[in-house]
Amino acid sequence: MCEGLKRDYQVCEEVGRGRFGTVYRCFSPDSGDFFACKTIDKRLLSDSVDRECLEKEAKIMHLLKGNPNVVQLFNVYEDDNYLHMVMELCNSSDLYDRVSKRIFSEVEAAAVMLPLMEAIAHCHRRGVAHRDIKPDNVLFDDRNRLKLADFGSADCLHEERSMRGVVGTPYYVAPEVLSGRDYSEKVDVWSAGVIMYIMLAGIPPFYGDSATEIFDAVLRANLRFPTRIFHSVSPAAKDLLRKMLCKDVSRRFSAEQVLRHPWITSGGGERSMNDLT
């Protein structure tokens, strides 16, 4: 373990584990606060792409500092074998745990979508695409404030080049990512639309019994609202879902447009279709 980390923090119990790293709770004697320490074993990184993602994650988190709905990075320590990132601690259950237990009302779903889209819009304004928006990466702190996390798959937007490469998680990945075409930051809007659909319906909009079947369904992008599930969901909510889960990227809403939609601005309350723009 890095000397700097041991000097500044007391590393406590494990609270999470990923493909390359482990997350520990840690304590700062100076501030009296607890944090999360993401420790990555660099020896497990198999290729240059993994190493590039590792180096990029800390830089991107520094770039996104200051937004209350993005997990904050406080310190980075590194030696020959490990990288340690000390971040905000989110003690509460993540969105995956919450959506797996029940269906959300529209007001409850809007209370998640507003800060989530504000976090995504902040990323896009700073020139960052998250590329792995999913419930597992939507965390909550001990005051139940939403925090977008895990920027290991994120990339910076460049005018001179588009993003490529299959990145993301089957149910949430946008069709243009799977098609092998260049894509933009609007892949995050698609993924957030899938989250909204799942909160309201309890099932994903595009599904299958295997990753291949899920990908085929995503590529077809045949968005449906089964009556037995959506009978009590408002026209405004369905309108927003159509605009977020639009296969035509040129017509798909941006994060800023989602934030201006009546369903979001009304907090998921009843709004007339005449209010929709």
mmCIF file of all heavy atoms in Angstrom, residues 47-89:
data_model
loop_
_atom_site.group_PDB
_atom_site.id
_atom_site.type_symbol
_atom_site.label_atom_id
_atom_site.label_comp_id
_atom_site.label_asym_id
_atom_site.label_seq_id
_atom_site.Cartn_x
_atom_site.Cartn_y
_atom_site.Cartn_z
ATOM 1 N N ASP A 47 -4.004 -5.243 -21.154
ATOM 2 C CA ASP A 47 -3.586 -4.641 -22.413
ATOM 3 C C ASP A 47 -3.535 -3.123 -22.302
ATOM 4 O O ASP A 47 -3.852 -2.538 -21.262
ATOM 5 C CB ASP A 47 -4.519 -5.058 -23.559
ATOM 6 C CG ASP A 47 -5.985 -4.750 -23.252
ATOM 7 O OD1 ASP A 47 -6.248 -3.702 -22.621
ATOM 8 O OD2 ASP A 47 -6.856 -5.540 -23.637
ATOM 9 N N SER A 48 -3.133 -2.485 -23.387
ATOM 10 C CA SER A 48 -2.954 -1.033 -23.399
ATOM 11 C C SER A 48 -4.276 -0.295 -23.224
ATOM 12 O O SER A 48 -4.317 0.800 -22.667
ATOM 13 C CB SER A 48 -2.282 -0.595 -24.704
ATOM 14 O OG SER A 48 -3.074 -0.982 -25.815
ATOM 15 N N VAL A 49 -5.382 -0.902 -23.698
ATOM 16 C CA VAL A 49 -6.701 -0.266 -23.564
ATOM 17 C C VAL A 49 -7.077 -0.159 -22.092
ATOM 18 O O VAL A 49 -7.549 0.884 -21.616
ATOM 19 C CB VAL A 49 -7.773 -1.057 -24.347
ATOM 20 C CG1 VAL A 49 -9.154 -0.467 -24.084
ATOM 21 C CG2 VAL A 49 -7.463 -1.040 -25.837
ATOM 22 N N ASP A 50 -6.861 -1.262 -21.320
ATOM 23 C CA ASP A 50 -7.158 -1.246 -19.892
ATOM 24 C C ASP A 50 -6.317 -0.192 -19.179
ATOM 25 O O ASP A 50 -6.810 0.535 -18.317
ATOM 26 C CB ASP A 50 -6.870 -2.620 -19.272
ATOM 27 C CG ASP A 50 -7.878 -3.675 -19.702
ATOM 28 O OD1 ASP A 50 -8.993 -3.295 -20.093
ATOM 29 O OD2 ASP A 50 -7.541 -4.868 -19.646
ATOM 30 N N ARG A 51 -5.042 -0.095 -19.544
ATOM 31 C CA ARG A 51 -4.160 0.879 -18.898
ATOM 32 C C ARG A 51 -4.573 2.310 -19.237
ATOM 33 O O ARG A 51 -4.516 3.202 -18.392
ATOM 34 C CB ARG A 51 -2.706 0.618 -19.320
ATOM 35 C CG ARG A 51 -2.162 -0.676 -18.772
ATOM 36 C CD ARG A 51 -0.708 -0.927 -19.140
ATOM 37 N NE ARG A 51 -0.289 -2.220 -18.633
ATOM 38 C CZ ARG A 51 0.103 -2.445 -17.381
ATOM 39 N NH1 ARG A 51 0.126 -1.438 -16.525
ATOM 40 N NH2 ARG A 51 0.465 -3.642 -16.983
ATOM 41 N N GLU A 52 -5.003 2.505 -20.483
ATOM 42 C CA GLU A 52 -5.458 3.836 -20.895
ATOM 43 C C GLU A 52 -6.702 4.245 -20.118
ATOM 44 O O GLU A 52 -6.824 5.388 -19.666
ATOM 45 C CB GLU A 52 -5.762 3.845 -22.399
ATOM 46 C CG GLU A 52 -6.180 5.211 -22.928
ATOM 47 C CD GLU A 52 -6.587 5.164 -24.388
ATOM 48 O OE1 GLU A 52 -6.379 4.126 -25.044
ATOM 49 O OE2 GLU A 52 -7.124 6.174 -24.869
ATOM 50 N N CYS A 53 -7.636 3.305 -19.921
ATOM 51 C CA CYS A 53 -8.854 3.587 -19.153
ATOM 52 C C CYS A 53 -8.515 3.933 -17.707
ATOM 53 O O CYS A 53 -9.109 4.840 -17.119
ATOM 54 C CB CYS A 53 -9.802 2.387 -19.186
ATOM 55 S SG CYS A 53 -10.586 2.124 -20.794
ATOM 56 N N LEU A 54 -7.538 3.212 -17.148
ATOM 57 C CA LEU A 54 -7.125 3.460 -15.775
ATOM 58 C C LEU A 54 -6.588 4.882 -15.623
ATOM 59 O O LEU A 54 -6.962 5.617 -14.709
ATOM 60 C CB LEU A 54 -6.054 2.446 -15.369
ATOM 61 C CG LEU A 54 -5.335 2.693 -14.045
ATOM 62 C CD1 LEU A 54 -6.323 2.584 -12.898
ATOM 63 C CD2 LEU A 54 -4.188 1.709 -13.854
ATOM 64 N N GLU A 55 -5.705 5.286 -16.535
ATOM 65 C CA GLU A 55 -5.112 6.617 -16.472
ATOM 66 C C GLU A 55 -6.166 7.698 -16.713
ATOM 67 O O GLU A 55 -6.143 8.767 -16.104
ATOM 68 C CB GLU A 55 -3.994 6.737 -17.509
ATOM 69 C CG GLU A 55 -2.793 5.833 -17.215
ATOM 70 C CD GLU A 55 -1.830 5.764 -18.385
ATOM 71 O OE1 GLU A 55 -2.073 6.448 -19.396
ATOM 72 O OE2 GLU A 55 -0.832 5.022 -18.280
ATOM 73 N N LYS A 56 -7.131 7.394 -17.587
ATOM 74 C CA LYS A 56 -8.129 8.388 -17.975
ATOM 75 C C LYS A 56 -9.147 8.633 -16.870
ATOM 76 O O LYS A 56 -9.647 9.751 -16.719
ATOM 77 C CB LYS A 56 -8.833 7.902 -19.248
ATOM 78 C CG LYS A 56 -9.548 8.991 -20.025
ATOM 79 C CD LYS A 56 -10.181 8.403 -21.274
ATOM 80 C CE LYS A 56 -9.161 8.041 -22.315
ATOM 81 N NZ LYS A 56 -9.796 7.527 -23.547
ATOM 82 N N GLU A 57 -9.473 7.600 -16.076
ATOM 83 C CA GLU A 57 -10.539 7.728 -15.083
ATOM 84 C C GLU A 57 -10.260 8.849 -14.089
ATOM 85 O O GLU A 57 -11.120 9.695 -13.824
ATOM 86 C CB GLU A 57 -10.747 6.405 -14.342
ATOM 87 C CG GLU A 57 -11.893 6.475 -13.342
ATOM 88 C CD GLU A 57 -12.217 5.140 -12.699
ATOM 89 O OE1 GLU A 57 -11.471 4.151 -12.924
ATOM 90 O OE2 GLU A 57 -13.220 5.073 -11.978
ATOM 91 N N ALA A 58 -9.046 8.882 -13.524
ATOM 92 C CA ALA A 58 -8.720 9.916 -12.539
ATOM 93 C C ALA A 58 -8.734 11.301 -13.184
ATOM 94 O O ALA A 58 -9.224 12.268 -12.585
ATOM 95 C CB ALA A 58 -7.364 9.631 -11.909
ATOM 96 N N LYS A 59 -8.206 11.409 -14.401
ATOM 97 C CA LYS A 59 -8.189 12.706 -15.097
ATOM 98 C C LYS A 59 -9.604 13.204 -15.354
ATOM 99 O O LYS A 59 -9.901 14.389 -15.183
ATOM 100 C CB LYS A 59 -7.431 12.576 -16.428
ATOM 101 C CG LYS A 59 -5.937 12.331 -16.268
ATOM 102 C CD LYS A 59 -5.275 12.143 -17.618
ATOM 103 C CE LYS A 59 -3.786 11.820 -17.458
ATOM 104 N NZ LYS A 59 -3.135 11.536 -18.760
ATOM 105 N N ILE A 60 -10.485 12.301 -15.777
ATOM 106 C CA ILE A 60 -11.870 12.684 -16.066
ATOM 107 C C ILE A 60 -12.590 13.103 -14.789
ATOM 108 O O ILE A 60 -13.330 14.087 -14.774
ATOM 109 C CB ILE A 60 -12.606 11.534 -16.782
ATOM 110 C CG1 ILE A 60 -12.171 11.498 -18.256
ATOM 111 C CG2 ILE A 60 -14.121 11.679 -16.674
ATOM 112 C CD1 ILE A 60 -12.715 10.333 -19.059
ATOM 113 N N MET A 61 -12.355 12.393 -13.689
ATOM 114 C CA MET A 61 -13.007 12.752 -12.427
ATOM 115 C C MET A 61 -12.546 14.123 -11.938
ATOM 116 O O MET A 61 -13.325 14.890 -11.369
ATOM 117 C CB MET A 61 -12.762 11.675 -11.378
ATOM 118 C CG MET A 61 -13.484 10.369 -11.694
ATOM 119 S SD MET A 61 -13.455 9.194 -10.335
ATOM 120 C CE MET A 61 -14.618 9.939 -9.194
ATOM 121 N N HIS A 62 -11.286 14.455 -12.172
ATOM 122 C CA HIS A 62 -10.798 15.802 -11.843
ATOM 123 C C HIS A 62 -11.524 16.837 -12.698
ATOM 124 O O HIS A 62 -11.908 17.907 -12.217
ATOM 125 C CB HIS A 62 -9.285 15.896 -12.080
ATOM 126 C CG HIS A 62 -8.461 15.454 -10.912
ATOM 127 N ND1 HIS A 62 -8.509 16.082 -9.681
ATOM 128 C CD2 HIS A 62 -7.565 14.441 -10.790
ATOM 129 C CE1 HIS A 62 -7.680 15.481 -8.841
ATOM 130 N NE2 HIS A 62 -7.092 14.477 -9.486
ATOM 131 N N LEU A 63 -11.726 16.510 -13.961
ATOM 132 C CA LEU A 63 -12.395 17.416 -14.896
ATOM 133 C C LEU A 63 -13.837 17.686 -14.489
ATOM 134 O O LEU A 63 -14.370 18.772 -14.731
ATOM 135 C CB LEU A 63 -12.343 16.802 -16.306
ATOM 136 C CG LEU A 63 -12.796 17.638 -17.494
ATOM 137 C CD1 LEU A 63 -11.896 18.862 -17.662
ATOM 138 C CD2 LEU A 63 -12.784 16.801 -18.761
ATOM 139 N N LEU A 64 -14.475 16.700 -13.855
ATOM 140 C CA LEU A 64 -15.898 16.802 -13.514
ATOM 141 C C LEU A 64 -16.148 17.320 -12.097
ATOM 142 O O LEU A 64 -17.283 17.375 -11.651
ATOM 143 C CB LEU A 64 -16.558 15.431 -13.675
ATOM 144 C CG LEU A 64 -16.563 14.853 -15.089
ATOM 145 C CD1 LEU A 64 -17.104 13.432 -15.073
ATOM 146 C CD2 LEU A 64 -17.377 15.728 -16.039
ATOM 147 N N LYS A 65 -15.090 17.714 -11.411
ATOM 148 C CA LYS A 65 -15.221 18.172 -10.020
ATOM 149 C C LYS A 65 -16.224 19.306 -9.888
ATOM 150 O O LYS A 65 -16.334 20.150 -10.770
ATOM 151 C CB LYS A 65 -13.867 18.641 -9.499
ATOM 152 C CG LYS A 65 -13.061 17.577 -8.795
ATOM 153 C CD LYS A 65 -11.852 18.172 -8.117
ATOM 154 C CE LYS A 65 -11.178 17.146 -7.220
ATOM 155 N NZ LYS A 65 -10.052 17.724 -6.485
ATOM 156 N N GLY A 66 -16.927 19.299 -8.763
ATOM 157 C CA GLY A 66 -17.770 20.443 -8.446
ATOM 158 C C GLY A 66 -19.253 20.228 -8.628
ATOM 159 O O GLY A 66 -20.042 21.019 -8.135
ATOM 160 N N ASN A 67 -19.648 19.157 -9.322
ATOM 161 C CA ASN A 67 -21.079 18.910 -9.498
ATOM 162 C C ASN A 67 -21.585 18.038 -8.350
ATOM 163 O O ASN A 67 -21.016 16.987 -8.073
ATOM 164 C CB ASN A 67 -21.354 18.235 -10.843
ATOM 165 C CG ASN A 67 -22.833 18.100 -11.122
ATOM 166 O OD1 ASN A 67 -23.494 17.187 -10.650
ATOM 167 N ND2 ASN A 67 -23.386 19.029 -11.891
ATOM 168 N N PRO A 68 -22.677 18.441 -7.694
ATOM 169 C CA PRO A 68 -23.155 17.688 -6.517
ATOM 170 C C PRO A 68 -23.699 16.306 -6.839
ATOM 171 O O PRO A 68 -23.909 15.502 -5.930
ATOM 172 C CB PRO A 68 -24.253 18.587 -5.947
ATOM 173 C CG PRO A 68 -24.727 19.407 -7.115
ATOM 174 C CD PRO A 68 -23.515 19.643 -7.956
ATOM 175 N N ASN A 69 -23.950 16.015 -8.112
ATOM 176 C CA ASN A 69 -24.504 14.714 -8.489
ATOM 177 C C ASN A 69 -23.486 13.801 -9.166
ATOM 178 O O ASN A 69 -23.842 12.789 -9.762
ATOM 179 C CB ASN A 69 -25.725 14.898 -9.391
ATOM 180 C CG ASN A 69 -26.847 15.643 -8.691
ATOM 181 O OD1 ASN A 69 -27.293 16.692 -9.128
ATOM 182 N ND2 ASN A 69 -27.292 15.114 -7.558
ATOM 183 N N VAL A 70 -22.215 14.161 -9.072
ATOM 184 C CA VAL A 70 -21.125 13.315 -9.565
ATOM 185 C C VAL A 70 -20.223 12.985 -8.382
ATOM 186 O O VAL A 70 -19.865 13.869 -7.595
ATOM 187 C CB VAL A 70 -20.306 14.033 -10.663
ATOM 188 C CG1 VAL A 70 -19.077 13.205 -11.052
ATOM 189 C CG2 VAL A 70 -21.168 14.290 -11.888
ATOM 190 N N VAL A 71 -19.875 11.717 -8.215
ATOM 191 C CA VAL A 71 -18.980 11.314 -7.126
ATOM 192 C C VAL A 71 -17.672 12.107 -7.224
ATOM 193 O O VAL A 71 -17.060 12.186 -8.285
ATOM 194 C CB VAL A 71 -18.705 9.792 -7.183
ATOM 195 C CG1 VAL A 71 -17.535 9.418 -6.288
ATOM 196 C CG2 VAL A 71 -19.937 9.012 -6.757
ATOM 197 N N GLN A 72 -17.269 12.695 -6.108
ATOM 198 C CA GLN A 72 -16.092 13.556 -6.096
ATOM 199 C C GLN A 72 -14.826 12.761 -5.786
ATOM 200 O O GLN A 72 -14.818 11.872 -4.918
ATOM 201 C CB GLN A 72 -16.263 14.661 -5.059
ATOM 202 C CG GLN A 72 -17.445 15.582 -5.343
ATOM 203 C CD GLN A 72 -17.313 16.316 -6.670
ATOM 204 O OE1 GLN A 72 -16.411 17.125 -6.859
ATOM 205 N NE2 GLN A 72 -18.207 16.021 -7.603
ATOM 206 N N LEU A 73 -13.755 13.093 -6.497
ATOM 207 C CA LEU A 73 -12.432 12.502 -6.272
ATOM 208 C C LEU A 73 -11.613 13.481 -5.438
ATOM 209 O O LEU A 73 -11.520 14.666 -5.779
ATOM 210 C CB LEU A 73 -11.748 12.238 -7.615
ATOM 211 C CG LEU A 73 -10.312 11.723 -7.560
ATOM 212 C CD1 LEU A 73 -10.265 10.303 -7.007
ATOM 213 C CD2 LEU A 73 -9.686 11.747 -8.965
ATOM 214 N N PHE A 74 -11.000 12.997 -4.354
ATOM 215 C CA PHE A 74 -10.252 13.880 -3.453
ATOM 216 C C PHE A 74 -8.743 13.709 -3.551
ATOM 217 O O PHE A 74 -7.997 14.691 -3.519
ATOM 218 C CB PHE A 74 -10.701 13.655 -2.008
ATOM 219 C CG PHE A 74 -12.136 14.025 -1.773
ATOM 220 C CD1 PHE A 74 -13.103 13.049 -1.601
ATOM 221 C CD2 PHE A 74 -12.543 15.341 -1.753
ATOM 222 C CE1 PHE A 74 -14.437 13.380 -1.391
ATOM 223 C CE2 PHE A 74 -13.874 15.693 -1.550
ATOM 224 C CZ PHE A 74 -14.820 14.711 -1.366
ATOM 225 N N ASN A 75 -8.278 12.465 -3.643
ATOM 226 C CA ASN A 75 -6.830 12.230 -3.702
ATOM 227 C C ASN A 75 -6.521 11.010 -4.558
ATOM 228 O O ASN A 75 -7.348 10.091 -4.652
ATOM 229 C CB ASN A 75 -6.250 12.002 -2.294
ATOM 230 C CG ASN A 75 -6.096 13.282 -1.507
ATOM 231 O OD1 ASN A 75 -5.354 14.180 -1.918
ATOM 232 N ND2 ASN A 75 -6.793 13.390 -0.387
ATOM 233 N N VAL A 76 -5.347 11.008 -5.163
ATOM 234 C CA VAL A 76 -4.864 9.869 -5.945
ATOM 235 C C VAL A 76 -3.458 9.520 -5.462
ATOM 236 O O VAL A 76 -2.604 10.410 -5.309
ATOM 237 C CB VAL A 76 -4.821 10.186 -7.458
ATOM 238 C CG1 VAL A 76 -4.262 8.998 -8.242
ATOM 239 C CG2 VAL A 76 -6.213 10.544 -7.969
ATOM 240 N N TYR A 77 -3.221 8.245 -5.215
ATOM 241 C CA TYR A 77 -1.908 7.756 -4.800
ATOM 242 C C TYR A 77 -1.536 6.609 -5.738
ATOM 243 O O TYR A 77 -2.387 5.802 -6.110
ATOM 244 C CB TYR A 77 -1.934 7.239 -3.359
ATOM 245 C CG TYR A 77 -2.397 8.269 -2.349
ATOM 246 C CD1 TYR A 77 -3.759 8.385 -2.036
ATOM 247 C CD2 TYR A 77 -1.496 9.099 -1.699
ATOM 248 C CE1 TYR A 77 -4.200 9.317 -1.100
ATOM 249 C CE2 TYR A 77 -1.921 10.039 -0.768
ATOM 250 C CZ TYR A 77 -3.276 10.146 -0.465
ATOM 251 O OH TYR A 77 -3.703 11.067 0.446
ATOM 252 N N GLU A 78 -0.254 6.517 -6.075
ATOM 253 C CA GLU A 78 0.160 5.476 -7.020
ATOM 254 C C GLU A 78 1.565 4.997 -6.695
ATOM 255 O O GLU A 78 2.441 5.775 -6.321
ATOM 256 C CB GLU A 78 0.103 6.023 -8.453
ATOM 257 C CG GLU A 78 0.355 4.973 -9.518
ATOM 258 C CD GLU A 78 0.095 5.477 -10.938
ATOM 259 O OE1 GLU A 78 -0.105 6.697 -11.107
ATOM 260 O OE2 GLU A 78 0.098 4.638 -11.862
ATOM 261 N N ASP A 79 1.772 3.688 -6.840
ATOM 262 C CA ASP A 79 3.123 3.119 -6.811
ATOM 263 C C ASP A 79 3.255 2.159 -7.986
ATOM 264 O O ASP A 79 2.439 2.200 -8.915
ATOM 265 C CB ASP A 79 3.414 2.436 -5.464
ATOM 266 C CG ASP A 79 2.442 1.297 -5.139
ATOM 267 O OD1 ASP A 79 1.802 0.760 -6.076
ATOM 268 O OD2 ASP A 79 2.333 0.937 -3.949
ATOM 269 N N ASP A 80 4.254 1.307 -7.978
ATOM 270 C CA ASP A 80 4.513 0.439 -9.137
ATOM 271 C C ASP A 80 3.368 -0.530 -9.418
ATOM 272 O O ASP A 80 3.096 -0.859 -10.575
ATOM 273 C CB ASP A 80 5.801 -0.362 -8.921
ATOM 274 C CG ASP A 80 7.043 0.517 -8.987
ATOM 275 O OD1 ASP A 80 6.934 1.638 -9.533
ATOM 276 O OD2 ASP A 80 8.086 0.100 -8.464
ATOM 277 N N ASN A 81 2.679 -0.976 -8.378
ATOM 278 C CA ASN A 81 1.678 -2.031 -8.549
ATOM 279 C C ASN A 81 0.231 -1.582 -8.389
ATOM 280 O O ASN A 81 -0.682 -2.233 -8.910
ATOM 281 C CB ASN A 81 1.944 -3.170 -7.550
ATOM 282 C CG ASN A 81 3.262 -3.875 -7.830
ATOM 283 O OD1 ASN A 81 3.657 -4.024 -8.978
ATOM 284 N ND2 ASN A 81 3.935 -4.300 -6.765
ATOM 285 N N TYR A 82 0.001 -0.477 -7.687
ATOM 286 C CA TYR A 82 -1.375 -0.095 -7.367
ATOM 287 C C TYR A 82 -1.655 1.376 -7.648
ATOM 288 O O TYR A 82 -0.767 2.227 -7.564
ATOM 289 C CB TYR A 82 -1.678 -0.370 -5.886
ATOM 290 C CG TYR A 82 -1.698 -1.824 -5.524
ATOM 291 C CD1 TYR A 82 -0.558 -2.437 -4.992
ATOM 292 C CD2 TYR A 82 -2.839 -2.604 -5.718
ATOM 293 C CE1 TYR A 82 -0.566 -3.784 -4.659
ATOM 294 C CE2 TYR A 82 -2.850 -3.952 -5.393
ATOM 295 C CZ TYR A 82 -1.721 -4.539 -4.865
ATOM 296 O OH TYR A 82 -1.732 -5.870 -4.535
ATOM 297 N N LEU A 83 -2.920 1.634 -7.963
ATOM 298 C CA LEU A 83 -3.437 3.001 -8.025
ATOM 299 C C LEU A 83 -4.573 3.084 -7.010
ATOM 300 O O LEU A 83 -5.455 2.229 -6.987
ATOM 301 C CB LEU A 83 -3.964 3.323 -9.426
ATOM 302 C CG LEU A 83 -4.612 4.701 -9.571
ATOM 303 C CD1 LEU A 83 -3.543 5.795 -9.642
ATOM 304 C CD2 LEU A 83 -5.473 4.776 -10.828
ATOM 305 N N HIS A 84 -4.536 4.099 -6.154
ATOM 306 C CA HIS A 84 -5.566 4.290 -5.138
ATOM 307 C C HIS A 84 -6.253 5.623 -5.398
ATOM 308 O O HIS A 84 -5.595 6.660 -5.460
ATOM 309 C CB HIS A 84 -4.961 4.301 -3.731
ATOM 310 C CG HIS A 84 -4.075 3.126 -3.424
ATOM 311 N ND1 HIS A 84 -4.569 1.917 -3.001
ATOM 312 C CD2 HIS A 84 -2.719 2.994 -3.480
ATOM 313 C CE1 HIS A 84 -3.555 1.073 -2.802
ATOM 314 N NE2 HIS A 84 -2.432 1.698 -3.080
ATOM 315 N N MET A 85 -7.584 5.605 -5.520
ATOM 316 C CA MET A 85 -8.357 6.832 -5.695
ATOM 317 C C MET A 85 -9.284 6.998 -4.503
ATOM 318 O O MET A 85 -10.136 6.140 -4.249
ATOM 319 C CB MET A 85 -9.157 6.776 -7.006
ATOM 320 C CG MET A 85 -8.277 6.766 -8.246
ATOM 321 S SD MET A 85 -9.234 6.929 -9.785
ATOM 322 C CE MET A 85 -10.040 5.338 -9.845
ATOM 323 N N VAL A 86 -9.090 8.082 -3.771
ATOM 324 C CA VAL A 86 -9.911 8.361 -2.592
ATOM 325 C C VAL A 86 -11.075 9.247 -3.016
ATOM 326 O O VAL A 86 -10.877 10.354 -3.518
ATOM 327 C CB VAL A 86 -9.085 9.033 -1.484
ATOM 328 C CG1 VAL A 86 -9.982 9.365 -0.286
ATOM 329 C CG2 VAL A 86 -7.943 8.120 -1.051
ATOM 330 N N MET A 87 -12.289 8.745 -2.822
ATOM 331 C CA MET A 87 -13.491 9.405 -3.338
ATOM 332 C C MET A 87 -14.543 9.544 -2.252
ATOM 333 O O MET A 87 -14.412 8.995 -1.158
ATOM 334 C CB MET A 87 -14.064 8.580 -4.509
ATOM 335 C CG MET A 87 -13.113 8.399 -5.670
ATOM 336 S SD MET A 87 -13.814 7.348 -6.971
ATOM 337 C CE MET A 87 -13.693 5.731 -6.208
ATOM 338 N N GLU A 88 -15.583 10.258 -2.616
ATOM 339 C CA GLU A 88 -16.764 10.400 -1.770
ATOM 340 C C GLU A 88 -17.325 9.024 -1.433
ATOM 341 O O GLU A 88 -17.392 8.144 -2.297
ATOM 342 C CB GLU A 88 -17.798 11.179 -2.587
ATOM 343 C CG GLU A 88 -18.691 12.075 -1.832
ATOM 344 C CD GLU A 88 -19.514 12.965 -2.751
ATOM 345 O OE1 GLU A 88 -19.230 13.046 -3.958
ATOM 346 O OE2 GLU A 88 -20.455 13.572 -2.228
ATOM 347 N N LEU A 89 -17.730 8.832 -0.196
ATOM 348 C CA LEU A 89 -18.316 7.562 0.226
ATOM 349 C C LEU A 89 -19.839 7.624 0.084
ATOM 350 O O LEU A 89 -20.476 8.548 0.577
ATOM 351 C CB LEU A 89 -17.948 7.277 1.683
ATOM 352 C CG LEU A 89 -18.528 5.995 2.292
ATOM 353 C CD1 LEU A 89 -17.976 4.754 1.590
ATOM 354 C CD2 LEU A 89 -18.234 5.944 3.793
#
